[in-house]
């Protein structure tokens, strides 16, 4: 007996040593709590392991779901440059074995149009949704689970580890937008595309383009060429302005659609229209062309609402833009028409809604339009007047919330901010984040609200760097307000997560404002 024990002693010791080293070897895990997901998902379960990309990781989608090729391509374009791995895209009926990413459409209608389920195990990533848009939103979550350097566009050092997890996620509000004023200062295709890219990362789905104002007309209208030739030739401060050709506009529409973002075009009427009045004499009541305007005043111009030609003009403009805007909406402006007598404003807006409907679009207008009868399906955008919002809801309209004191990206952060205005107060990062849409306007509840939108007016913003400085990080907070349920949001948790976005924003080359309220980790 004793001799047998001594015989197997070496084997026992070896086993003991093996067991010990295995127990002592640090387990490869990533604490999901150290990872910043914005917007915060509805449900995240940490399953305590890791998945790693390898040279042979492929992106698979079920061949019957050909609509997933687009999100698959987006994912491959994101992953290839920084990892240096080929990430082949392969249609495959069955979920493949081995290290792979699998995109699929499920019948889980509880996820809605943009929800998704993301399951990461040691071997596989499975991303499923009801609609391709949901898969695309889920890709943004996967992206944020990866190290920030994935965003670099040249080869980076691995490893590319992702914590294993199961995430179920969907948005609170269907309309989650940003508005860019390309009229006060013009911003070209490349700038707008970068803006769209950054919106996509935070799951926004609407880009509202403010295409005309007193200082500039920014979209080619073939039947009224002087609108851009003259009206597009300058901007605030007298710079050279610019405009989108219809081809360029279509390119933007496509670029946004590839990211499941809808463009809402706005032609602001009957006020904010001086650039058109400077382009065509016949649009003026006195038949005299106005001089171009390069200042910052608002509320002084109006269309001549009694002239027949005015409605011919509107019909042509709405028709040409509607024809190249696949989204359901056309924004008619309607704000600050101080130069239009009220008795003219009301019938004008009514008539305008009819013209837009004739071109098969639904109207969005700033909150002033609530004073007129509203066609079914019209949405009202709150920026200043809560009474208008309540009136709109009584008339059956849904509202988009853009409260200036919370959402206006052109408001200064604080007294030290050089750019921006402050008529609606200072909007620091906390003030921009720390509010709830469903309690903002007394009498208005969640069912009345389509969503929220953050406008960047550009009287003081002249280039991409300045744009990014005003927009980021405030827009990121708005993106979370639109997506994440109220009971999962609070400032102290959010500021930590926002701080961890710094490296990602740096790698994306974003000139964001380093608010002292945020513990940035660069
Ligand atoms: C108000 S918001 C405006 C814009 C200005 C902005 C400046 C709205 C509907 N009208 O015309 O650019 O304030 O903050």
């Amino acid at each position: 007996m004793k001799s047998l024990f001594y015989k197997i002693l070496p084997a026992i010791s070896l086993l003991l040593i093996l067991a010990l080293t295995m127990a002592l070897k640090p387990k490869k895990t990533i604490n999901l709590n150290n990872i910043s997901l914005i917007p915060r998902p509805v449900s995240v379960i940490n399953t305590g392991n890791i998945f790693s990309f390898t040279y042979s990781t492929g992106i698979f989608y079920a061949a019957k779901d050909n609509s997933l090729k687009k999100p698959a391509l987006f994912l491959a374009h994101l992953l290839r440059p920084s990892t240096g791995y080929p990430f082949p895209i392969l249609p495959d009926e069955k979920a493949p074995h081995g290290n792979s990413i699998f995109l699929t459409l499920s019948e889980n209608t509880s996820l809605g149009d943009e929800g998704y389920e993301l399951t990461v195990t040691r071997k596989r990533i499975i991303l499923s949704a009801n609609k391709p848009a949901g898969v695309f939103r889920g890709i943004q979550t996967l992206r944020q689970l990866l190290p920030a350097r994935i965003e670099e566009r040249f080869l980076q050092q691995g490893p590319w580890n992702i914590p294993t997890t199961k995430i179920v996620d969907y948005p609170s509000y269907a309309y989650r937008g940003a508005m860019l004023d390309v009229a006060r200062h013009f911003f070209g295709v490349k700038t707008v595309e970068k803006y769209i890219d950054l919106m996509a990362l935070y799951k926004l789905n609407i880009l509202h383009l403010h295409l005309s104002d007193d200082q500039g007309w920014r979209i080619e209208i073939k039947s009224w060429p002087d609108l851009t030739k003259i009206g597009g030739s300058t901007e605030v401060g007298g710079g050279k302005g610019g405009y989108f050709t219809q081809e360029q506009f279509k390119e933007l529409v496509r670029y946004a659609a590839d990211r499941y973002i809808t463009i809402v075009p706005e032609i602001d009427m009957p006020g904010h229209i001086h650039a058109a009045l400077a382009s065509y004499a016949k649009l003026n009541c006195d038949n005299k062309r106005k001089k171009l305007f390069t200042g910052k005043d608002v509320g002084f111009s109006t269309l001549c609402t009694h002239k027949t030609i005015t409605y011919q003009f509107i019909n042509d403009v709405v028709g040409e833009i509607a024809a190249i805007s696949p989204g359901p909406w056309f924004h008619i402006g309607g704000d600050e028409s101080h130069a239009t007598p009220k008795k003219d404003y009301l019938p004008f807006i009514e008539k305008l809604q009819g013209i837009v409907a004739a071109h098969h679009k639904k109207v969005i207008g700033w909150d002033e339009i609530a004073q007129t009868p509203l066609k079914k399906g019209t949405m009202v955008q709150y920026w200043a007047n809560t009474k208008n919002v309540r009136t709109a809801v009584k008339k059956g309209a849904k509202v988009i919330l853009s409260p200036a004191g919370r959402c206006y990206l052109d408001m200064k952060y604080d007294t030290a901010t050089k750019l921006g205005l402050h008529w609606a107060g200072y909007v620091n990062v906390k003030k921009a984040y720390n509010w709830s849409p469903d309690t903002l306007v007394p009498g208005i509840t969640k069912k009345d609200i389509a969503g929220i939108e953050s406008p960047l007016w550009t009287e003081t913003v002249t280039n991409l760097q300045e744009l990014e400085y005003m927009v980021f990080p405030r827009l990121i907070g708005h993106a979370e307000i639109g997506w994440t349920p109220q009971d999962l949001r609070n400032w102290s948790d959010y500021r930590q997560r926002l701080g961890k976005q710094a490296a990602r924003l740096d790698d994306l080359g974003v000139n964001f404002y380093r608010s002292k309220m945020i513990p940035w980790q660069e």
Side-chain angles (χ1 to χ4, degrees):
M1 190 66 200
K2 214 174 179 183
S3 64
L4 178 66
F5 177 76
Y6 282 115
K7 259 190 205 150
I8 62 171
L9 188 61
I12 292 174
S13 346
L14 200 72
L15 270 173
L16 266 171
I17 290 167
L18 254 172
L20 255 174
T21 48
M22 273 176 75
L24 290 177
K25 196 173 155 211
K27 214 174 157 206
K28 281 211 282 178
T29 57
I30 302 172
N31 186 351
L32 207 53
N33 296 328
N34 292 336
I35 288 187
S36 158
L37 297 177
I38 302 183
R40 183 173 166 177
V42 171
S43 144
V44 180
I45 296 169
N46 193 350
T47 50
N49 225 309
I50 61 161
F51 170 97
S52 304
F53 288 146
T54 69
Y55 192 85
S56 61
T57 304
I59 301 173
F60 294 81
Y61 63 92
K64 66 171 177 7
D65 299 330
N66 204 33
S67 55
L68 292 182
K69 199 167 178 183
K70 205 161 82 176
L73 260 171
F74 180 93
L75 180 59
H77 288 157
L78 170 73
L79 302 178
R80 284 170 185 161
S82 41
T83 60
Y85 299 156
F87 285 101
I89 299 174
L90 304 156
D92 194 309
E93 264 317 317
K94 284 189 232 92
H97 296 291
N99 184 296
S100 55
I101 307 170
F102 191 63
L103 310 180
T104 173
L105 293 180
S106 67
E107 307 278 274
N108 186 352
T109 49
S110 72
L111 293 170
D113 287 351
E114 293 179 285
Y116 64 92
E117 248 181 66
L118 175 62
T119 308
V120 181
T121 66
R122 276 176 54 233
K123 284 276 162 60
R124 276 209 273 167
I125 297 176
I126 301 172
L127 176 53
S128 76
N130 238 337
K131 299 264 172 75
V135 170
F136 185 82
R137 303 293 174 237
I139 286 172
Q140 309 313 313
T141 303
L142 178 57
R143 184 176 177 183
Q144 294 188 10
L145 288 172
L146 279 155
R149 62 185 185 283
I150 198 76
E151 308 292 348
E152 293 279 8
R153 298 295 79 189
F154 53 93
L155 192 64
Q156 302 294 307
Q157 188 67 49
W160 301 100
N161 293 340
I162 304 174
T164 62
T165 180
K166 182 171 168 95
I167 297 178
V168 180
D169 197 17
Y170 45 83
S172 280
Y173 292 99
Y175 188 110
R176 303 178 310 280
M179 189 213 82
L180 180 60
D181 169 9
V182 292
R184 270 52 176 273
H185 281 97
F186 181 64
F187 298 88
V189 171
K190 282 284 156 266
T191 300
V192 178
E193 286 180 350
K194 184 169 183 199
Y195 199 18
I196 291 172
D197 280 334
L198 293 168
M199 289 172 62
L201 171 60
Y202 296 104
K203 301 188 174 72
L204 293 169
N205 65 0
I206 298 282
L207 173 63
H208 165 185
L209 287 175
H210 184 74
L211 292 165
S212 65
D213 213 301
D214 294 318
Q215 299 87 344
W217 187 282
R218 308 301 180 201
I219 177 133
E220 174 190 22
I221 303 296
K222 293 186 200 276
S223 53
W224 295 73
D226 287 351
L227 288 171
T228 43
K229 200 170 148 214
I230 300 173
S233 66
T234 192
E235 58 189 8
V236 167
K240 71 177 179 21
Y243 63 90
F244 300 122
T245 63
Q246 293 199 2
E247 279 314 308
Q248 289 174 323
F249 185 80
K250 285 193 229 166
E251 186 189 326
L252 284 179
V253 165
R254 257 197 314 272
Y255 193 87
D258 283 348
R259 287 149 186 81
Y260 300 89
I261 291 174
T262 302
I263 290 190
V264 175
E266 177 187 356
I267 297 295
D268 203 345
M269 298 172 276
H272 290 280
I273 197 74
H274 186 89
L277 304 180
S279 305
Y280 285 96
K282 60 187 171 189
L283 289 177
N284 292 274
C285 288
D286 62 4
N287 289 314
K288 287 201 192 102
R289 224 161 54 74
K290 300 241 173 357
K291 279 205 191 76
L292 288 164
F293 176 70
T294 59
K296 294 180 184 171
D297 305 345
V298 294
F300 60 88
S301 62
T302 180
L303 281 168
C304 190
T305 56
H306 297 298
K307 271 186 152 180
T308 318
I309 187 84
T310 297
Y311 299 94
Q312 183 56 50
F313 163 77
I314 294 171
N315 189 57
D316 292 342
V317 168
V318 174
E320 286 195 33
I321 296 175
I324 54 175
S325 300
W329 295 291
F330 190 98
H331 201 304
I332 59 169
D335 59 311
E336 297 177 315
S337 296
H338 310 315
T340 321
K342 192 155 184 181
K343 65 167 184 23
D344 298 338
Y345 177 83
L346 301 177
F348 174 84
I349 295 291
E350 243 193 296
K351 220 165 157 173
L352 194 46
Q353 291 181 69
I355 297 174
V356 172
H359 292 286
H360 312 292
K361 296 293 171 195
K362 288 193 275 188
V363 164
I364 303 178
W366 296 106
D367 64 50
E368 288 93 325
I369 72 159
Q371 300 156 34
T372 75
L374 297 177
K375 253 194 163 29
K376 198 169 175 291
T378 293
M379 293 207 288
V380 168
Q381 187 165 9
Y382 166 53
W383 68 283
N385 187 320
T386 52
K387 202 167 141 239
N388 284 338
V389 182
R390 277 187 290 272
T391 307
V393 167
K394 275 198 203 101
K395 291 181 181 175
K398 287 230 178 197
V399 296
I400 299 161
L401 301 179
S402 303
R406 304 281 189 174
C407 281
Y408 270 29
L409 300 170
D410 64 320
M411 291 301 119
K412 291 174 183 292
Y413 289 99
D414 58 30
T415 53
T417 315
K418 293 209 174 64
L419 298 168
L421 307 173
H422 62 98
W423 65 262
Y426 297 98
V427 181
N428 63 40
V429 179
K430 181 173 182 184
K431 192 163 182 231
Y433 178 79
N434 216 5
W435 61 283
S436 166
D438 52 2
T439 55
L440 181 77
V441 182
I444 306 298
T445 57
K446 190 157 186 251
K447 66 173 186 344
D448 309 315
I449 301 167
I452 82 167
E453 186 182 287
S454 316
L456 179 68
W457 302 100
T458 59
E459 286 95 331
T460 65
V461 179
T462 68
N463 59 39
L464 176 63
Q465 283 67 39
E466 294 176 354
L467 181 156
E468 289 177 348
Y469 185 84
M470 297 307 279
V471 170
F472 296 99
R474 288 182 289 198
L475 183 64
I476 301 174
H478 297 151
E480 175 151 304
I481 297 174
W483 183 282
T484 306
Q486 183 56 36
D487 57 346
L488 292 181
R489 297 202 296 113
N490 68 73
W491 166 249
S492 63
D493 163 65
Y494 172 71
R495 63 187 279 280
Q496 298 294 337
R497 280 182 291 120
L498 181 57
K500 295 191 184 104
Q501 294 285 314
R504 195 169 298 273
L505 293 170
D506 280 338
D507 287 342
L508 287 164
V510 179
N511 177 39
F512 64 99
Y513 164 64
R514 279 145 176 92
S515 163
K516 296 223 161 53
M517 299 176 147
I518 307 300
W520 299 111
Q521 294 182 20
E522 309 210 27

